[in-house]
Amino acid sequence: QVVGGKVKKPGKRGRKPAKIDLKAKLERSRQSARECRARKKLRYQYLEELVSSRERAICALREELEMYKQWCMAMDQGKIPSEIKALLTGEEQGKAQQNSTKLAKAGKAEANSSNP
């Protein structure tokens, strides 16, 4: 068969299979399978660690939620838990310290701007 000035032979198209040593091919396949299993094992270990860390976080959040529920129940009964009192007094002290720090910084800025 002549097409475009070239002689074409009938048969399979594409690259001809190279003569590959069967033993080498099997060994490469085994090595690939070993590597695949190792990657899979590492992936499962990572996922298990991730799940356990998330479960610990969930437990901590549940404990915190329970604590807040107890605080709310106490406040509904007219009692202010000592933890909330400590938080409020700590915030008030923190605000007072922030205000004094801001005033001191403003005073320094004014002193610096008035001195040429």
Side-chain angles (χ1 to χ4, degrees):
Q1 198 178 28
V2 178
V3 176
K6 295 183 181 178
V7 178
K8 287 204 164 193
K9 297 180 184 177
K12 294 184 181 178
R13 295 169 48 182
R15 189 192 288 182
K16 294 181 183 177
K19 302 280 182 178
I20 298 175
D21 186 19
L22 187 58
K23 288 183 182 180
K25 184 176 180 182
L26 287 174
E27 184 56 38
R28 279 199 312 272
S29 176
R30 289 186 193 113
Q31 181 64 29
S32 177
R34 277 192 291 271
E35 290 171 1
C36 180
R37 286 190 294 271
R39 285 192 305 270
K40 183 177 179 181
K41 185 177 179 181
L42 285 174
R43 186 169 45 249
Y44 274 90
Q45 287 175 348
Y46 166 75
L47 290 173
E48 286 173 0
E49 290 171 5
L50 192 64
V51 166
S52 65
S53 70
R54 299 285 165 91
E55 286 175 345
R56 286 192 300 272
I58 288 170
C59 288
L61 288 170
R62 282 191 177 139
E63 289 174 6
E64 188 178 356
L65 178 64
E66 188 60 35
M67 178 183 68
Y68 291 141
K69 283 181 182 178
Q70 290 174 0
W71 288 3
C72 289
M73 287 173 36
M75 287 193 297
D76 287 345
Q77 295 172 358
K79 302 173 187 174
I80 299 177
S82 59
E83 294 91 348
I84 293 179
K85 287 180 184 177
L87 284 173
L88 291 174
T89 57
E91 285 179 8
E92 289 172 3
Q93 290 174 356
K95 286 180 183 177
Q97 287 176 352
Q98 287 176 354
N99 288 337
S100 64
T101 305
K102 286 179 185 177
L103 290 174
K105 286 182 181 178
K108 287 180 185 177
E110 286 178 22
N112 289 340
S113 64
S114 63
N115 290 337

